[in-house]
Amino acid sequence: MSPTVSALAMAPVLSLVAPGNGASVSGSVTFAASADAPGLVSLQFKVDGNDYGSPITAGSCRTTFDSSSIADGTHTVQAIAQDQFGAMAVSSPATIYVSNSSPAVGGISVYNITSVSATIGWITATAADSQVEYGTSTSYGSLTGRDWTPVITHAQTIIALTPSTTYHFRVYSMGQNGIVSQSGDFIFATTAPNGVVPTPTPTPTPGVTPTPTPPVPTPGVTPTPTPTPGITPKPIVPTPTPTPIFPTPTPTPGGGGGGTRRGTTTLPNVRPAVPQVAVTPEPGVTSTTDRRQQPRVTDSSSASAAVARGGTSSTKAASATTGAPKTAAPPIVYYPTSSTPKTTDVPCSEPDPFKAKGGVGMCVNGKWMALWQPGGGKGK
C-alpha cells in the first residue's frame, strides 16, 4: 500500500515501485513510490535527473507519465522524498526503454532455399516478436507460427512449399508497446527437385508500364525495322550501279574503195599519225606516171580536214582546187619513205620552210621534215 505523506520525526526508506527496472514503455506510464514508514511531507519523481510534474504533498505517492513527451530510447526514473525535518529519502533509479513508434523493419533476406522450404530473416530497431505471411500471389493466404519472443534479429522458416514455385511474402513484428510493423512485398522461388533455382517473375507495379529492353544488335546483321500500324512501308530500291559509258570509236578516214591505195605507206614510230597531203598535177597533165612532175600543192590543212570528215583526201582536195580539169587523174598522196629523210631544226611552231621553195613539209617530233620538194622527190 502506498504511504501517506505526514510529518514524522524520522524519514523512512523510499523505493520506486513502478515502472520496473528494464521495462519497455509507450504512451501513458504510471510512476509509483513507497516508504517503509510514514513521515514524508513531499515526493518528487524525476526522469533523466529532471523533475517531472510538481511535488506531491498529499495523497498517494503516484502519478501518470506521458512517455511521448520524450524521445524513444533508454531513460532513467527516480523518486526523491523529504520529511518534516528536511531529511531526504532517495530511491534507487530504474532504467526504462521508451518506444512510441512501430519497430522499424529492415534487412530482409531469404536463405536456405530448397525445393520445399526457405528461411526468412530480418531485423527491427527495437525488440519485437516475429511472424511471416506468404503465398503464391500478393493475396498470400498462409502464416507461420508467431514467435512472441521480443528480439531484434528475427528468423522464420517456411515449410511444405511446392518445388519450382515463386512465392510472395511479407514480415510482421509487434513491439512491446503493441504497435505492429509490416514490411513490403518480397519474392523468392523454390528450387527444382534437382536443385536448380528458377528465376522468380517480378510483380508489376499497378499503373506502371514497363519499359521494353531494346534488343542487342548482332554484329554484321542489319535489324529489320518494325512497321508502324497504318503506314505502308516504302520498298527500299537499291541504287543501280552506273554502267560506264565508253565513247564510240571514230572510224579511221581512208575512203571506201577497199584495198591498199597506190603510193601509200605508214610512217613508223610517229605519234600522232602523220596527216595525209593531197597533191594535184599541173593543169593539162594527164599522166601520173612521172611523180617528179612539178605539182601544185593543195593546202595540207584543208586536205587533212577533208580526210577527217570521212572522205578521201583526193576527192576533197580536188573540190578545193579551182579550175582543175575534170579529166585530170586522181591526186597522189605522198609520205616520206626515204631512210634518210631531209630534216630541219625549224620547230613546228614556225611556218613550213619547204613551202616557200615549192615543196611540202611535215612536222615530226616537233621539227619540220621534207615531205616533197622540187627536183628531189619524196623526202629528199
Side-chain angles (χ1 to χ4, degrees):
M1 183 176 178
S2 300
T4 300
V5 177
S6 61
L8 298 176
M10 297 181 63
V13 176
L14 187 65
S15 299
L16 184 65
V17 178
N21 188 39
S24 293
V25 299
S26 62
S28 297
V29 181
T30 298
F31 287 174
S34 66
D36 62 351
L40 300 180
V41 295
S42 68
L43 178 66
Q44 177 70 60
F45 287 102
K46 290 180 176 288
V47 177
D48 296 331
N50 301 314
D51 293 345
Y52 176 74
S54 301
I56 300 173
T57 58
S60 300
C61 295
R62 64 177 56 238
T63 189
T64 301
F65 170 66
D66 182 9
S67 65
S68 64
S69 63
I70 59 177
D72 287 358
T74 303
H75 301 273
T76 58
V77 179
Q78 196 171 25
I80 299 176
Q82 185 178 15
D83 65 10
Q84 59 181 341
F85 302 105
M88 304 297 295
V90 181
S91 72
S92 297
T95 300
I96 61 173
Y97 187 87
V98 176
S99 175
N100 286 299
S101 59
S102 61
V105 175
I108 297 175
S109 61
V110 185
Y111 54 97
N112 294 338
I113 300 175
T114 69
S115 61
V116 294
S117 65
T119 300
I120 312 299
W122 72 98
I123 60 174
T124 52
T126 59
D129 61 17
S130 311
Q131 192 172 34
V132 176
E133 186 178 23
Y134 64 96
T136 55
S137 69
T138 53
S139 296
Y140 306 105
S142 300
L143 286 166
T144 61
R146 189 166 190 173
D147 185 352
W148 293 93
T149 305
V151 293
I152 293 177
T153 302
H154 307 259
Q156 288 267 284
T157 299
I158 306 173
I159 61 174
L161 301 178
T162 303
S164 303
T165 303
T166 298
Y167 284 89
H168 294 255
F169 73 92
R170 58 187 175 185
V171 302
Y172 294 94
S173 285
M174 183 176 70
Q176 292 177 310
N177 57 4
I179 301 176
V180 179
S181 289
Q182 172 186 304
S183 73
D185 180 73
F186 291 84
I187 59 175
F188 70 90
T190 54
T191 64
N194 58 2
V196 178
V197 179
T199 302
T201 303
T203 303
T205 303
V208 178
T209 302
T211 302
T213 303
V216 179
T218 303
V221 177
T222 302
T224 302
T226 303
T228 303
I231 298 177
T232 303
K234 295 182 179 179
I236 300 175
V237 180
T239 303
T241 303
T243 303
I245 300 175
F246 297 97
T248 302
T250 303
T252 304
T260 304
R261 289 184 61 85
R262 180 184 176 190
T264 303
T265 185
T266 301
L267 181 65
N269 301 324
V270 177
R271 296 293 185 272
V274 180
Q276 297 179 355
V277 180
V279 182
T280 304
E282 288 293 332
V285 180
T286 59
S287 176
T288 59
T289 57
D290 186 6
R291 293 185 181 179
R292 295 182 181 273
Q293 179 70 32
Q294 177 67 31
R296 182 173 60 201
V297 180
T298 301
D299 182 60
S300 61
S301 61
S302 59
S304 299
V307 173
R309 286 193 296 271
T312 62
S313 59
S314 61
T315 58
K316 300 303 179 177
S319 63
T321 305
T322 304
K326 295 182 180 180
T327 58
I332 299 173
V333 178
Y334 292 98
Y335 281 100
T337 58
S338 173
S339 59
T340 56
K342 181 174 179 59
T343 60
T344 69
D345 292 328
V346 179
C348 291
S349 59
E350 299 293 334
D352 181 359
F354 299 98
K355 188 174 183 180
K357 301 178 181 180
V360 177
M362 63 179 289
C363 189
V364 177
N365 295 330
K367 304 293 185 179
W368 283 103
M369 181 180 73
L371 177 65
W372 189 94
Q373 59 183 2
K378 296 176 290 182
K380 296 183 179 179

